[in-house]
Amino acid sequence: MVGIIQQKAFIDIYSKIIRNSKKMFEFKKFSINQENCAMKICTDACIFGGYINVSQSKSILDIGTGTGLLSLMIAQRTEKTLQKPNITAVEIEKDAFLTAKQNFENSIYTDRLTIFNQSIQDFSENHFSTFDHIISNPPFFLHQSKTKNNSKNLALHSEALSFDDLLKSIDKLLSKNGKCDILLPAFEMDIFIKKAKKYSLFPQKKLIIYTRKEKEIFRVIIRFEKKNTQNKEIIENNFIIYKSKGEKDIELNRGYTEQFIELLRDFYIIF
């Protein structure tokens, strides 16, 4: 009986989230208005925001912030640290910029969040200090057909921000001992790794994300630093979002794995 009541409560909460998700996405400590953003909140971005190690970061740059999700997640994760980092976000698309700005201002972390409405290329040309941590979930469609939605094209297609342009900006803005976390699909990440070597950025740690353990790779998160690891083994871990069919209690918590629940317990209101 207790299990049925818990499951019903979960369904009620999740149904409410779905009804509001096109406009608002409610987290435990902040809300994201995404109505005017071409790219809505997605699971891989939430994993990215919950996973990256920001414990030693003092200044963080979020390239292509979109709704502002990553910046807000990091602000929450560092709210109890002794030296709370300042977080700077850059967003080229005007509607997304205005949305993220509003989301920042409506949060309890607004005093630590700054946002600029310009390309990262222009930002890097006019910004003369460096950051000890840079994060980005960059556009990755290399050759696919564009849509009629210019905002979505900016968010998705690498013509708006090529990997080379992104790396040039990272090279200029990242401090000597800084770290950079990137989220991409597997194929595009392989391309990014090869290009990153030209800028003396080398993989240190890799998280391979699967929707289910029997599925193909969904996304990859890699930590880059200016340390040559070509002859060293990269730290590698796997992350599974959903339980596979036949696993115990698959009907609970929408089938999310314990690994996923633990990572996002402080954010998702359904946990």
Side-chain angles (χ1 to χ4, degrees):
M1 177 64 72
V2 173
I4 294 173
I5 293 172
Q6 288 177 335
Q7 188 172 353
K8 185 178 184 302
F10 174 87
I11 292 171
D12 290 342
I13 294 171
Y14 186 69
S15 297
K16 182 180 179 181
I17 293 171
I18 292 297
R19 286 195 299 271
N20 294 327
S21 62
K22 289 185 178 180
K23 181 179 179 181
M24 299 292 296
F25 199 109
E26 300 287 343
F27 291 90
K28 286 184 176 178
K29 292 192 174 183
F30 60 86
S31 299
I32 295 284
N33 184 331
Q34 56 181 356
E35 185 177 21
N36 295 318
C37 265
M39 293 307 299
K40 310 301 183 187
I41 290 173
C42 51
T43 302
D44 53 328
C46 292
I47 294 170
F48 192 32
Y51 166 77
I52 51 179
N53 184 355
V54 293
S55 59
Q56 302 298 317
S57 303
K58 298 177 182 178
S59 59
I60 300 172
L61 175 64
D62 177 6
I63 299 177
T65 193
T67 61
L69 171 68
L70 294 179
S71 292
L72 284 163
M73 290 184 75
I74 290 170
Q76 179 182 324
R77 289 179 58 200
T78 57
E79 65 181 334
K80 294 181 180 179
T81 58
L82 290 176
Q83 187 167 351
K84 300 177 179 62
N86 292 314
I87 303 165
T88 301
V90 177
E91 176 54 54
I92 187 174
E93 203 278 312
K94 187 62 176 288
D95 286 338
F97 160 76
L98 292 172
T99 297
K101 186 173 184 290
Q102 180 187 48
N103 289 332
F104 289 174
E105 291 171 351
N106 290 339
S107 77
I108 59 174
Y109 313 111
T110 185
D111 61 325
R112 291 196 286 129
L113 298 166
T114 306
I115 186 166
F116 293 86
N117 181 206
Q118 58 186 147
S119 69
I120 191 59
Q121 296 95 320
D122 289 341
F123 179 83
S124 64
E125 284 296 318
N126 297 291
H127 194 86
F128 301 105
S129 59
T130 58
F131 298 85
D132 58 22
H133 200 160
I134 295 176
I135 60 172
S136 184
N137 177 12
F140 55 79
F141 284 178
L142 298 173
H143 303 295
Q144 288 89 334
S145 298
K146 293 185 178 181
T147 70
K148 294 180 180 179
N149 186 326
N150 290 330
S151 296
K152 184 168 281 190
N153 290 334
L154 278 174
L156 286 176
H157 290 267
S158 61
E159 286 91 339
L161 177 61
S162 71
F163 288 169
D164 280 307
D165 282 344
L166 175 59
L167 283 161
K168 285 177 186 176
S169 298
I170 291 172
D171 183 49
K172 182 175 181 181
L173 294 167
L174 187 65
S175 64
K176 181 180 178 180
N177 297 314
K179 51 199 176 187
C180 173
D181 284 286
I182 301 292
L183 168 66
L184 282 169
F187 176 77
E188 286 78 6
M189 184 62 87
D190 287 341
I191 295 172
F192 191 89
I193 290 171
K194 291 175 183 177
K195 289 181 177 292
K197 289 178 182 178
K198 295 189 298 182
Y199 298 89
S200 299
L201 284 168
F202 301 93
Q204 309 291 321
K205 189 175 181 180
K206 176 192 287 187
L207 184 72
I208 303 173
I209 304 171
Y210 300 86
T211 53
R212 289 186 169 84
K213 61 184 178 182
E214 68 272 16
K215 299 291 186 178
E216 295 183 355
I217 296 173
F218 173 53
R219 293 286 187 271
V220 179
I221 298 171
I222 290 188
R223 158 76 54 79
F224 292 88
E225 295 179 18
K226 295 178 179 180
K227 298 176 183 177
N228 193 333
T229 54
Q230 287 181 301
N231 298 319
K232 296 181 181 179
E233 189 172 342
I234 299 170
I235 300 170
E236 187 173 305
N237 292 293
N238 294 335
F239 188 93
I240 316 297
I241 300 173
Y242 295 108
K243 296 177 182 177
S244 297
K245 291 181 179 179
E247 287 191 57
K248 184 179 179 182
D249 296 328
I250 191 172
E251 74 282 357
L252 296 178
N253 294 324
R254 203 191 165 202
Y256 287 124
T257 61
E258 286 301 318
Q259 189 179 26
F260 182 90
I261 293 170
E262 283 306 309
L263 183 70
L264 293 170
R265 186 182 298 279
D266 291 338
F267 297 96
Y268 277 29
I269 61 176
I270 58 176
F271 301 143

